[in-house]
Amino acid sequence: MANAKAQDYFRRAEETLKVANARSGAVMMELLAQVQAYAALAVAAETLDVQD
């Protein structure tokens, strides 16, 4: 019985970690997209010789 409870606990913990990793992955992808957009704007501004 204790072994079954332990297995269930670890299975749930593993599922929680998978969800957390998926969420943090999505956050990292969003941040990367923002950085890429900023870099594209910086390149465009430089190309157009926009003053700060």
Side-chain angles (χ1 to χ4, degrees):
M1 183 69 176
N3 191 25
K5 283 186 177 183
Q7 287 177 347
D8 185 55
Y9 174 79
F10 283 113
R11 182 186 54 78
R12 288 181 188 201
E14 185 177 37
E15 289 173 3
T16 300
L17 285 173
K18 285 180 184 176
V19 170
N21 283 338
R23 288 182 181 166
S24 66
V27 169
M28 291 303 293
M29 291 302 290
E30 176 65 24
L31 289 173
L32 179 59
Q34 290 179 10
V35 168
Q36 289 173 334
Y38 182 79
L41 286 173
V43 169
E46 186 174 316
T47 301
L48 296 172
D49 196 28
V50 175
Q51 300 296 319
D52 286 337

